Short mmCIF file of all heavy atoms in Angstrom, two decimals:
data_model
loop_
_atom_site.label_atom_id
_atom_site.label_comp_id
_atom_site.label_asym_id
_atom_site.label_seq_id
_atom_site.Cartn_x
_atom_site.Cartn_y
_atom_site.Cartn_z
N LYS A 145 16.63 9.72 -30.77
CA LYS A 145 16.75 11.15 -31.31
C LYS A 145 15.77 12.07 -30.61
O LYS A 145 16.15 13.22 -30.27
CB LYS A 145 16.50 11.14 -32.78
CG LYS A 145 16.70 12.43 -33.47
CD LYS A 145 16.60 12.43 -34.99
CE LYS A 145 16.81 13.78 -35.66
NZ LYS A 145 16.78 13.62 -37.16
N GLU A 201 -11.31 -11.95 1.89
CA GLU A 201 -9.98 -11.98 2.38
C GLU A 201 -9.28 -13.34 2.19
O GLU A 201 -8.07 -13.27 1.80
CB GLU A 201 -9.96 -11.58 3.86
CG GLU A 201 -8.55 -11.29 4.44
CD GLU A 201 -8.61 -10.81 5.84
OE1 GLU A 201 -9.60 -10.33 6.15
OE2 GLU A 201 -7.47 -10.92 6.53
N LEU A 345 5.58 -21.71 1.14
CA LEU A 345 5.34 -22.23 -0.16
C LEU A 345 4.63 -21.26 -1.04
O LEU A 345 3.80 -20.50 -0.50
CB LEU A 345 4.61 -23.56 -0.09
CG LEU A 345 5.21 -24.74 0.68
CD1 LEU A 345 4.27 -25.95 0.70
CD2 LEU A 345 6.58 -25.09 0.25
#
Side-chain angles (χ1 to χ4, degrees):
K145 185 174 181 181
E201 190 170 340
L345 300 181

